[in-house]
Amino acid sequence: MRRRTRLWLLLPILLVSPAIASDQLQIDARTTSGVSIARSVQGTNLVSLTDRLVKAEDQFAAFAGQSYVASLQYSGVKNAAIFTSNADGTSVNVRIPSTGFNRTFTGANRDDVNKQIRDFVKKDGAAELADFQEKVNRLSLTAVSDGNPRSTTAWLSNQAFRSFGFDGRPPFGAEGDSVVPGLRLDFDGGSFDTDDGSGYYFEAALSTGFKLGSRAAISLTVPFQYRNVDGSDIFDVGFQLGLPFQILRKNWGGKLSGEGASEVTWQVSPWGVIAASGSEDLVAGGIMYGGGITSLLSYQIGLGGPEGQPNNLTFSLVNQIGFYHGSQISAGGYEFKNDVDQQVLKNGLAVAYSIGRSLWLDASIIHTQFLRDSAIDHYWTPGAGAGFFLSKNTTLRVAYSADLGTGFTGHNGNVSLSFGW
């Protein structure tokens, strides 16, 4: 059993695609006078790529002594920024068409101009870059903070939905709610392919819950996510606090161990979350905070079975609304300002069939909708899983799901370990 468990823990990593289709960043440059020269250069770090352009180094060395115009493609957004330079590189105009930003940097030489641009990106330009990132969230399917199934807002929404809705535990038993005292570890990994780029991710979450009387509980979760989008690194870490409480629990026919018995439960969970996201490569990220409420309505039917090993069937309806807002953070010498203002609506249906105290099977379908402007309006997530009792209070579940939206396809694997007390 120990060797098999180790193999299951590798499932999310095995689903990760090692192939990276292209880079998130690309500069297309051409001379505007003299010798006709053109270069198209890809990269994974925005500052490094623009350094080489402005200083006319490496792949852009041919532009030394030449005036040029260059266009930046950022996360699939074409003409994200336009650079126009004189021949000796002492005057470089930077224009961001989507925000209206237009500034000329002048200096004694290329290095001086490059330092001014770097300083602007790291410090003074935080508000301007936040405005730019807001536009990217509406246009790019690989944006860092918002607007796609792997963005920070979607990730936080998924965490709450898992904690208070489809949490992958065995179908409801004697406790009748979705938070049980104990410790839970979740490991997820997968790959995604979009019209704006491809990548892979890995995430982990540590959760615990404590009873507050017979019908209420407190839930704490610390999630972490790493994304690699066409070679560019992105990190997320958060903290989630929830207070689920059971509004209704109605039983017909006695204990669910008896055939024909049934039970309805309705749980409502208000929650709050705070998270930090950042990508030095893409010069994007910031602090995000928010909250919401999750409703879980379940109907369970007892199917009979051996004494102490009843079979049952559970149908669940989960509805959730989350509100997310951005703020500013300093990291790695950069000022990351986040202007996200998003609302995420999730609705899902699930069915689970348990076979005594040995295993259970489940399947679900979830619809996610971004209520504010975003690159993708909505997407579907079908999924299925199988769970096993390793001991009386220890369970293991493995699952697969897919994120399906216009221009976006994701494949996700999950391994969950729960230890009750």
Side-chain angles (χ1 to χ4, degrees), residues 344-395:
V344 182
L345 180 67
K346 296 180 79 74
N347 297 286
L349 293 169
V351 59
Y353 174 66
S354 66
I355 304 173
R357 295 280 297 180
S358 56
L359 66 91
W360 74 93
L361 305 173
D362 59 76
S364 62
I365 181 71
I366 303 167
H367 179 258
T368 303
Q369 183 175 4
F370 296 97
L371 300 183
R372 299 286 176 87
D373 289 344
S374 58
I376 180 171
D377 293 332
H378 66 96
Y379 62 95
W380 293 90
T381 305
F388 309 86
F389 288 87
L390 304 182
S391 67
K392 180 180 179 180
N393 295 317
T394 304
T395 61

Side-chain angles (χ1 to χ4, degrees), residues 115-135:
K115 183 178 183 302
Q116 291 182 42
I117 296 176
R118 261 181 171 260
D119 289 343
F120 173 80
V121 169
K122 284 191 172 186
K123 298 292 182 182
D124 299 335
E128 189 63 41
L129 291 173
D131 193 16
F132 169 68
Q133 288 297 334
E134 184 180 2
K135 302 298 189 297

Side-chain angles (χ1 to χ4, degrees), residues 29-246:
R30 60 177 177 82
T31 55
T32 55
S33 64
V35 180
S36 178
I37 301 171
R39 294 287 187 273
S40 181
V41 181
Q42 294 182 334
T44 59
N45 183 284
L46 179 61
V47 173
S48 174
L49 188 60
T50 56
D51 276 355
R52 283 177 277 162
L53 172 68
V54 175
K55 296 168 71 174
E57 293 179 344
D58 298 334
Q59 300 99 319
F60 296 109
F63 291 91
Q66 303 288 336
S67 60
Y68 64 80
V69 60
S71 172
L72 169 68
Q73 179 173 310
Y74 181 101
S75 297
V77 179
K78 296 181 179 180
N79 298 316
I82 307 296
F83 300 81
T84 305
S85 174
N86 62 1
D88 57 11
T90 57
S91 177
V92 177
N93 176 266
V94 180
R95 183 166 59 91
I96 303 177
S98 63
T99 67
F101 174 80
N102 192 326
R103 179 178 293 188
T104 300
F105 299 86
T106 59
N109 50 50
R110 292 182 183 275
D111 286 341
D112 187 17
V113 172
N114 186 66
K115 183 178 183 302
Q116 291 182 42
I117 296 176
R118 261 181 171 260
D119 289 343
F120 173 80
V121 169
K122 284 191 172 186
K123 298 292 182 182
D124 299 335
E128 189 63 41
L129 291 173
D131 193 16
F132 169 68
Q133 288 297 334
E134 184 180 2
K135 302 298 189 297
V136 172
N137 291 335
R138 299 177 183 180
L139 298 172
S140 174
L141 292 169
T142 57
V144 171
S145 299
D146 189 29
N148 66 80
R150 291 255 55 90
S151 65
T152 305
T153 52
W155 173 65
L156 293 175
S157 183
N158 292 341
Q159 290 294 330
F161 204 78
R162 171 183 288 172
S163 297
F164 309 113
F166 301 154
D167 67 347
R169 286 197 313 108
F172 295 111
E175 296 299 330
D177 60 20
S178 70
V179 175
V180 295
L183 189 68
R184 172 175 169 142
L185 296 170
D186 281 282
F187 303 94
D188 295 76
S191 62
F192 51 93
D193 182 63
T194 83
D195 291 345
D196 295 327
S198 302
Y200 59 90
Y201 77 95
F202 174 80
E203 65 180 72
L206 174 64
S207 305
T208 188
F210 304 92
K211 290 289 187 181
L212 298 175
S214 61
R215 293 205 171 201
I218 184 170
S219 170
L220 306 171
T221 301
V222 179
F224 168 82
Q225 177 180 224
Y226 165 75
R227 287 172 276 167
N228 186 292
V229 185
D230 292 336
S232 298
D233 297 326
I234 308 168
F235 298 90
D236 299 276
V237 63
F239 176 78
Q240 175 186 280
L241 171 66
L243 297 171
F245 59 93
Q246 196 176 97

